[in-house]
Structures are given as structure tokens and as C-alpha cells.
Amino acid sequence: MTFRKLMIAVCAFLLASCGGLAGEPQIVATMPPITAAPTDGGQPTEMPDVALGAQVFAANCTRCHGASGKGDGELVQSGQVPPPADFTNPITAAVQIPLGYYSVITNGNIEKLMPPWGDALSQHERWSVALYTYTLANTQVQLAHGKTLFDANCADCDVSSLISLDATANLSQTKLIAAVSELPGFTTSSDADRSDAAAYVRSLALSNADSIGAIAATAEPASTAEPEAASTAEVVTGSISGQISNGSGGGSVPANLPMTLFDFDASFNQQQVTGTADADGSYNFSDVALNQTHTYVVTANYRDQIFASDILSGDALTADLADGAIDLPLTIYELTEDADVIEIDGLVTQVSVTNTSLEIAQVYNFINTSDRAYTTSQTSDDGRAISLAISLPPGAVIAGFPNDQNRFIVDAPNAIFYDTVPVLPQERHVVQVVYLIQYNQGAIIEQPLNYALDAPVRLLLTPQNVSVSSDQLQPMGAQTLGSSQYQSYGATLTLPTGSVLSYTLSGAGANAATQGDPNAPVVTSNNLLLIVGGVIVIAALLGGGLFVIASRSRSGDNQIADILLRQIAELDDEHEAGKIDDENYERQRSALKARLTALMERKQ
């Protein structure tokens, strides 16, 4: 159901974006934007082929991402989709991992209107295009310089662990540079030399590395790429029909309900047909060209909200093509503003502690216990309806909403943010946020809960020497997530609306605790594997992390900049006082500078 729900949400977003009017209906999506973990493994089964990736990119991705990967494709230029990341900017991939790219390619990125390619591309094609885009900021000049440095300084160095299939998927560029910095020939090298050497090491894990950095349209095609001919697709003329029902008790289906049929081809080009439902709630779109490689979804506009059917594609579509008649039922709902129908059905918090700040990633799972779609009559300044209001601990500075930058509205002075996606009955409604809190050897965290909580709660903490005390959360032992280990605390809590989730942290932060440990987790939401008991398993391979600063408040941006500048200054003081060695100093300072650079570029 994940693929279906993602596609429904994408279609709804496209429907809204095509009109572009502030007063147009808001979107009801059956699944909020979240990047799920790939279902076919966390690493490639063979070396990704950069030339194949370039070919796949040129064939499928340039309309949004642009031929050079700068995020300036024709659909961006025309305003039909929001600008995606600039793959040619080294900051884009700095702390992200290739597995994050692969996951987005596989499952889509709703907020950016990117479709999932899990069914359209093979696993090898997806890994190849993931590594093509991940390395697009590198140049052949860099690679050649990196090779020269290795041949001269580190010819006998063993880099097998850095070019394994697991490392290819899970090693961020920041961590790769840190690992190269520890090799015998690079301990005293400049940042630029280490970066070039790391780019060269990455290339050793890839086939056709001479296509790294090449413009997709000019890259040499890989000999193994044999795209399926479009002419083999079966096309028949048929009908798409269904019955509309109202899922709310006492609700009815109005006559002449506006309907839209969306038809998306394999490249996500869109066609649509409008119509109305009959008096009995049935609808029918006749004489539709049904193509087995396309995706179809039907939406209805009811009470200024967009409701969508399941989508039909792949094997299910092929089976229905036999008789040329497709049945797509659709459910609409009445609306409610009663906040008592909303419950927190799971909450996971990952806390990474530095000397001066807590860097916190949270995932909430909400559920609507009623039979009506939950929203409110409160609207944002730009006219969007507001649904959930989520409070953070006092002093929190919001740093981003992974994959959901335009979905949320921030009230920075009050440490609260608002969701603009309504909560459908009985559907899991996931919210993700990353925020910062200042820290100095200890902190009392008190988070107000605006909705009742009756669910497992989990707290994941790093580094190991920071301790937690809480009357609500109990120690649950070590939790290994990816290559990092966390202390785990949790409980199944039943708390009424207005309660406070609280815990106390004490101990030194990461700058002191990880001295000499290059494998210590770099604070990012990329490899955040969040588990709430056996109820929710969310693999959130989130793009951007703390590099994406989403607060609309300039004061919020300035607070984050202040925190980063203080961290850099304190790190300088520690290094000058001999409390931290040169290698770790340079590694940590580079990471902080990269974050600050990304923030400054955004502010400009």
C-alpha cells in the first residue's frame, strides 16, 4: 500500500500545483510525505554503473532536474514543480548517503512531486542513477588529482573497506573524507586534497567512472542498458468507472460531484479528464486509452478537499486490461475540527548531543479515531488550512522538516509548528521534524503534548557517555542503527491532552566524547532508522537533514547560525588548548562550516 499511497499523494499535489491559485482546494493525502526504506536491500548487489546512471537520468529526470543536474529543468522553469536539489553543489551530498538517494528514487519524493521509480527501473538502474547524481558535483580533474595524490602518497593503502558494496551505499562524503584523512599519506594534507582523494576513492567503487560529472545528455551509454521498447506496451480502449461512497456516518454523496481522471505515463507526464458523478454516486470515464505502462487515479473535489481513489498500475492494471473495464471505487469524508479525535499513536526521538547543542530528530505517528477527516478552520497567511499543532520543548529552534519543507508552518517564538495536511480516518499520519536546543553539560527537556498519547515512545541517544533520567522512560539497552549505536529508552505511555513528556540529559557532548573516533555518528537525519515497539517501523533515509533549514522566521535562521558559530569558536578554543587533535579538529570544523555555508546560502 505504500506505493499506492505515495502515488495518491503525488497526484493530489500535482492537481493542486497545476492550478496555482491560493484559494484552490487543499489536499487530503492518504499517506503523508515520507521516504520509506527500499524494499530490496540496503546496498547494491553489483557495482553501480555511472554511465548507465547518466543514461537513465537523461531519459527520465531532466525535465525536473535539468540536463546538468542543477535543478533547473523545464517543469521547474514553468513553475509546475518546486526546484529540486542542485546535484552539482558539493554541499548537497556532503552528509547524505547514497542509500538516501536510492530510497528517494525507489519510493519517490512527494513534496518535490517526484514519482517512485521502483517499478519502472531495475535495482541496478536505480543504484546506478543514485551514484551518478551523488557524484555529479565531482569532476574528472578532481578524480585525476586524487589519483595522483594516492599514487604519490598512499599507493599501498588498503581502501577495500571504503569501496565495498556496503560502503558504496552507506558512506557519506563527509565520512569518506574523514576516513581518507586518517590514511598515512593524508594526515597533513589540505582539505582540498583530501576531498579530491576521497572523490577518487569513491570512483574505485563504480563502473564507468569516467562518466562521473558528465552532463547526462553527453555521457556515453552503458552497453548493458537495454531500455524496454515502448511499442511493446499493450494499449486498449476501455472505461474507468466506480462507485463513490461517504465514509462518515450520516454522510451522503452529492449529485454532480466534480471528478478528475489522471493518466500518468512512465515519465510522469500527465493527462487528465474532468467529469461529474451521477446522482447515485457512480461515475464513468469512457473511451479511455488504457496503457499497461501507465498509472491511473481518480479524484473527487468535496467540501474544498481533494479525495483520491487507490491508484492502478503494474500487474493489477495488466489484469484489468483483459476486459477493458477498470473499477476504481473512491471514498470521501465529512470534516471535523474536534481535536479529541486525534491521538499520538507512536513517538520516536533521536537525540545527538554536542558540547553546545542537542540536535534532535523526531517522528510522530498520529491517528484519527473518528470517521471524519480532521482539519481546522484556522488558516495560514498564504491561505492554507491548518490541521495539527505540534509543540516542541522550550528553546527549540526548528532546523527542518525532512522531505516536507513546504507542508509545515513555523511559529518560531513559541516553538510550535503546524501541519497543513488533514488527517484521514484510521490512517497513519506521519510527521517528521529536526530541531536544535542549546546545551551545556545538561538540560531538562519538557515537551508539551497537544494531543492524547496512548502508544510506545522511544528515545535514542548518542554519545554513550550522556545519561538520561526520566520518570516516564526506562532504559532499554543499546540500539544499533546502521553503523551507529545509540542508548535506547522507552515505555508504552498513556497521557491525556496537555501532558508533558519530560526527561533530563547530563554529560559531555560529542566534541569531547568522540575525540579520536572518526566513526562517531555525524548529526544528520539521513540514516535515521526509527522503531516504535512493533507498531511502527519507519526507515527514514531523509534527504537534506540539517543542511535544509526550513524555518520561515529570520530569527530562527539567525539562532541556528549563532549556535553553529559558537560551536566553531568553542572548537577552535579546544584545539588551541590542546584538548583535541588536529585530525578530529579539522573533521569537526569542516562539518560545522558546511552546515553554516548551507544556511548562509539559503538566507541569501
Side-chain angles (χ1 to χ4, degrees):
M1 291 301 293
T2 300
F3 172 73
R4 291 187 173 190
K5 291 180 177 181
L6 282 167
M7 285 298 297
I8 292 168
V10 170
C11 294
F13 271 100
L14 276 176
L15 178 62
S17 68
C18 288
L21 300 176
E24 287 203 338
Q26 298 301 308
I27 299 159
V28 171
T30 60
M31 178 75 173
I34 180 171
T35 301
T39 58
D40 51 7
Q43 65 183 49
T45 57
E46 59 184 304
M47 291 175 66
D49 186 329
V50 183
L52 172 59
Q55 183 183 32
V56 171
F57 186 90
N60 301 292
C61 309
T62 58
R63 297 189 72 207
C64 292
H65 293 280
S68 63
K70 290 182 176 293
D72 56 357
E74 61 182 270
L75 295 181
V76 175
Q77 301 282 355
S78 65
Q80 295 180 60
V81 298
D86 179 358
F87 294 132
T88 66
N89 186 339
I91 290 176
T92 302
V95 298
Q96 298 191 58
I97 59 176
L99 180 57
Y101 281 45
Y102 174 79
S103 180
V104 171
I105 292 165
T106 299
N107 299 300
N109 184 338
I110 296 171
E111 186 65 27
K112 297 297 186 181
L113 304 184
M114 177 176 171
W117 292 91
D119 289 345
L121 300 174
S122 70
Q123 182 193 40
H124 183 51
E125 287 173 324
R126 281 175 278 142
W127 273 114
S128 295
V129 75
L131 268 298
Y132 167 73
T133 52
Y134 191 87
T135 59
L136 202 50
N138 300 139
T139 67
Q140 291 297 314
V141 172
Q142 279 182 294
L143 300 183
H145 183 228
K147 183 179 186 305
T148 299
L149 293 171
F150 252 87
D151 291 344
N153 304 315
C154 211
D156 296 327
C157 292
D158 180 9
V159 295
S160 58
S161 64
L162 304 180
I163 61 174
S164 66
L165 293 174
D166 177 71
T168 298
N170 293 291
L171 199 60
S172 72
Q173 197 64 14
T174 297
K175 284 197 172 182
L176 180 56
I177 293 172
V180 168
S181 301
E182 296 186 341
L183 295 174
F186 294 98
T187 55
T188 60
S189 298
S190 67
D191 288 345
D193 284 351
R194 290 171 174 176
S195 180
D196 289 353
Y200 167 67
V201 171
R202 175 87 64 186
S203 73
L204 299 178
L206 307 175
S207 296
N208 288 315
D210 55 353
S211 290
I212 289 176
I215 301 299
T218 63
E220 288 295 325
S223 59
T224 58
E226 297 180 0
E228 180 181 357
S231 60
T232 62
E234 179 184 0
V235 180
V236 300
T237 299
S239 64
I240 296 180
S241 59
Q243 183 68 40
I244 305 170
S245 60
N246 192 314
S248 302
S252 60
V253 179
N256 300 318
L257 186 67
M259 308 286 297
T260 304
L261 167 65
F262 289 90
D263 174 353
F264 299 94
D265 67 17
S267 297
F268 214 54
N269 298 309
Q270 159 193 336
Q271 297 184 47
Q272 63 192 66
V273 181
T274 58
T276 57
D278 296 335
D280 62 355
S282 63
Y283 73 88
N284 181 67
F285 292 95
S286 58
D287 298 325
V288 178
L290 301 175
N291 187 315
Q292 65 181 9
T293 67
H294 287 208
T295 297
Y296 301 89
V297 64
V298 174
T299 66
N301 185 337
Y302 181 61
R303 297 200 180 280
D304 291 334
Q305 307 289 336
I306 300 298
F307 296 89
S309 70
D310 281 349
I311 65 103
L312 191 64
S313 64
D315 293 341
L317 173 60
T318 301
D320 283 352
L321 287 178
D323 56 13
I326 293 175
D327 178 49
L328 279 179
L330 189 152
T331 303
I332 61 175
Y333 295 96
E334 304 299 323
L335 307 181
T336 181
E337 294 191 43
D338 181 5
D340 289 340
V341 308
I342 300 299
E343 292 182 358
I344 302 174
D345 195 42
L347 174 60
V348 180
T349 304
Q350 176 187 297
V351 181
S352 297
V353 185
T354 74
N355 276 355
T356 59
S357 70
L358 307 176
E359 299 181 333
I360 301 175
Q362 278 189 317
V363 175
Y364 305 76
N365 190 79
F366 293 92
I367 190 167
N368 177 351
T369 61
S370 76
D371 62 358
R372 294 173 174 244
Y374 175 77
T375 186
T376 73
S377 55
Q378 184 181 0
T379 59
S380 64
D381 291 341
D382 57 6
R384 290 181 290 166
I386 288 173
S387 56
L388 301 173
I390 301 170
S391 294
L392 299 177
V397 177
I398 294 177
F401 303 97
N403 294 337
D404 303 327
Q405 298 304 319
N406 298 318
R407 170 178 162 186
F408 299 99
I409 299 162
V410 175
D411 178 357
N414 295 307
I416 189 169
F417 67 96
Y418 301 93
D419 195 355
T420 61
V421 175
V423 187
L424 291 189
Q426 305 304 323
E427 294 281 355
R428 295 199 180 279
H429 187 96
V430 180
V431 171
Q432 308 164 3
V433 63
V434 178
Y435 56 93
L436 309 177
I437 295 178
Q438 293 189 45
Y439 182 77
N440 183 15
Q441 301 294 311
I444 298 173
I445 306 300
E446 296 183 333
Q447 182 164 12
L449 301 177
N450 299 336
Y451 307 94
L453 184 152
D454 186 8
V457 175
R458 183 71 61 87
L459 171 66
L460 305 173
L461 175 68
T462 186
Q464 296 293 315
N465 63 304
V466 177
S467 62
V468 171
S469 61
S470 173
D471 293 334
Q472 298 168 318
L473 305 176
Q474 304 303 315
M476 300 181 69
Q479 176 75 61
T480 300
L481 305 178
S483 60
S484 301
Q485 191 171 72
Y486 297 84
Q487 301 176 64
S488 178
Y489 300 81
T492 297
L493 300 179
T494 300
L495 301 173
T497 301
S499 299
V500 175
L501 181 66
S502 61
Y503 53 93
T504 300
L505 302 173
S506 59
N511 284 356
T514 63
Q515 192 173 41
D517 180 9
N519 296 316
V522 175
V523 179
T524 169
S525 53
N526 277 324
N527 51 4
L528 181 63
L529 175 61
L530 299 173
I531 305 171
V532 183
V535 181
I536 312 171
V537 178
I538 305 171
L541 300 166
L542 309 175
L546 293 177
F547 279 111
V548 184
I549 309 300
S551 172
R552 299 186 179 199
S553 164
R554 288 297 139 200
S555 62
D557 285 348
N558 291 336
Q559 289 179 54
I560 296 170
D562 289 344
I563 290 174
L564 295 174
L565 288 169
R566 280 197 299 273
Q567 286 181 293
I568 291 172
E570 291 180 9
L571 187 65
D572 290 343
D573 290 342
E574 288 186 354
H575 179 250
E576 186 174 348
K579 296 180 180 179
I580 183 171
D581 61 47
D582 292 344
E583 295 176 23
N584 282 283
Y585 166 70
E586 291 183 8
R587 175 174 60 84
Q588 294 178 34
R589 200 175 197 280
S590 295
L592 291 169
K593 285 176 62 180
R595 295 182 192 175
L596 185 61
T597 299
L599 175 58
M600 293 300 102
E601 289 184 349
R602 176 191 178 277
K603 287 167 67 67
Q604 292 171 1

